Amino acid sequence: MTVTEKPVAMESSSNAAQNNNNAHVESQTKDDSGFNEDGSNYRKPAEHLTTRLKVKIFAIDSLTSAIIGSGINFGIAYATYNNQASGVHLFSFPNSLAADCSFTLLAQFIVTWLVEVFVVNNDLRRGWVDPIGFFREPQGKFWRWYFLLDRENQMPHQVKGWWNWIRFIWSNVLRSIMLFLLFFPPSFGVSIGALTAVGTKTPDGDWNFADTYTPQLYKLILGIVIGSIGTPLISLYTMVRVGWVLKAKKGTQENA
């Protein structure tokens, strides 16, 4: 009888010690201010589009990006095209609005993506906005790669070392280019159509424009459109990705 009771007692003691250890770990997860040991204070992933999310995505991010992007575009266009002796053209270099449109779209997507990665991640980490948890986590290899779910430590505050920073920046630039490639055909097509409607057609099949205000207004409108449409999608990318990461981490801890 004594022999059979000892393993039971030992097992009970082991389980109690393990439970006490887990409780200790959980109790050390946050400090007195409510922040985790790494300085994070993530909110629970939202199961619907909350008011906080709507304000963040469609007001703060969208409007801020549209205002900043359009202002920068207008200023650059004014400095580039104002008082050009060679004129401003749709296709002909050196002052080609079609080429300018292509470069502006690419640059704005890359810069906006990189800025939003840091800004949105910081907002999520500080608990200022909810991660999104109402989308099903993808299982396909491509989508897991695109949302960086196939690797660990992809939050900006988790990246350590210059080589990992290079990989982190390049990974995000690559994904921004892929989103740009989806936006480019309709954006470029609409831009060319609008410019041909307001330009003066030449015998050689090009279109000319006044060097003042036509290019500047075009770049202003382009900045508003890309900022107000592209930026919310880029913000959603990070909010959804972090929501999946947090839910997966919680599931792992519950199963441990």
Side-chain angles (χ1 to χ4, degrees):
M1 180 65 67
T2 304
V3 174
T4 58
E5 287 178 353
K6 284 184 178 180
V8 175
M10 291 176 61
E11 182 178 356
S12 300
S13 177
S14 176
N15 289 339
Q18 184 176 0
N19 290 335
N20 289 335
N21 183 58
N22 290 339
H24 175 72
V25 171
E26 291 181 0
S27 67
Q28 296 296 318
T29 301
K30 294 190 176 183
D31 60 22
D32 293 337
S33 64
F35 284 81
N36 294 323
E37 292 177 350
D38 63 353
S40 62
N41 187 33
Y42 291 106
R43 300 170 67 90
K44 181 180 178 182
E47 296 302 329
H48 64 280
L49 198 60
T50 64
T51 301
R52 187 185 296 263
L53 281 170
K54 293 175 183 177
V55 171
K56 168 65 176 173
I57 297 170
F58 301 112
I60 298 176
D61 287 354
S62 179
L63 290 179
T64 301
S65 180
I67 292 170
I68 295 175
S70 60
I72 293 174
N73 282 352
F74 184 89
I76 293 175
Y78 188 85
T80 303
Y81 298 112
N82 194 45
N83 297 324
Q84 284 289 331
S86 57
V88 180
H89 316 285
L90 183 57
F91 298 113
S92 301
F93 287 92
N95 298 317
S96 168
L97 288 180
D100 192 341
C101 170
S102 303
F103 176 78
T104 299
L105 286 170
L106 177 60
Q108 192 164 346
F109 266 95
I110 293 175
V111 172
T112 301
W113 186 290
L114 292 178
V115 170
E116 287 297 296
V117 162
F118 288 94
V119 171
V120 177
N121 268 294
N122 181 70
D123 292 347
L124 292 167
R125 188 180 177 217
R126 298 300 178 186
W128 296 338
V129 68
D130 311 297
I132 291 178
F134 51 83
F135 289 110
R136 181 178 300 176
E137 182 177 338
Q139 300 302 318
K141 186 175 181 179
F142 170 78
W143 290 112
R144 293 192 65 79
W145 170 85
Y146 188 78
F147 281 91
L148 299 171
L149 298 174
D150 60 344
R151 65 197 77 177
E152 297 181 350
N153 299 329
Q154 290 303 304
M155 311 287 193
H157 69 279
Q158 297 173 329
V159 181
K160 308 296 181 182
W162 65 270
W163 175 246
N164 288 328
W165 271 111
I166 292 175
R167 290 185 60 195
F168 177 78
I169 296 297
W170 168 243
S171 295
N172 282 280
V173 168
L174 180 60
R175 284 154 180 79
S176 71
I177 293 174
M178 295 175 69
L179 184 61
F180 154 77
L181 292 175
L182 290 177
F183 266 78
F184 180 74
S187 301
F188 186 78
V190 171
S191 295
I192 297 302
L195 288 170
T196 57
V198 299
T200 302
K201 189 172 184 179
T202 64
D204 57 356
D206 204 347
W207 280 262
N208 293 337
F209 306 91
D211 58 9
T212 303
Y213 298 125
T214 298
Q216 292 84 351
L217 289 175
Y218 161 67
K219 294 290 292 291
L220 176 75
I221 296 171
L222 185 63
I224 293 174
V225 171
I226 299 303
S228 59
I229 297 177
T231 303
L233 293 177
I234 296 171
S235 296
L236 282 169
Y237 170 89
T238 299
M239 293 176 184
V240 171
R241 193 186 79 79
V242 171
W244 286 332
V245 171
L246 294 177
K247 293 180 78 171
K249 184 178 180 180
K250 181 180 179 182
T252 301
Q253 291 175 345
E254 290 177 349
N255 295 329

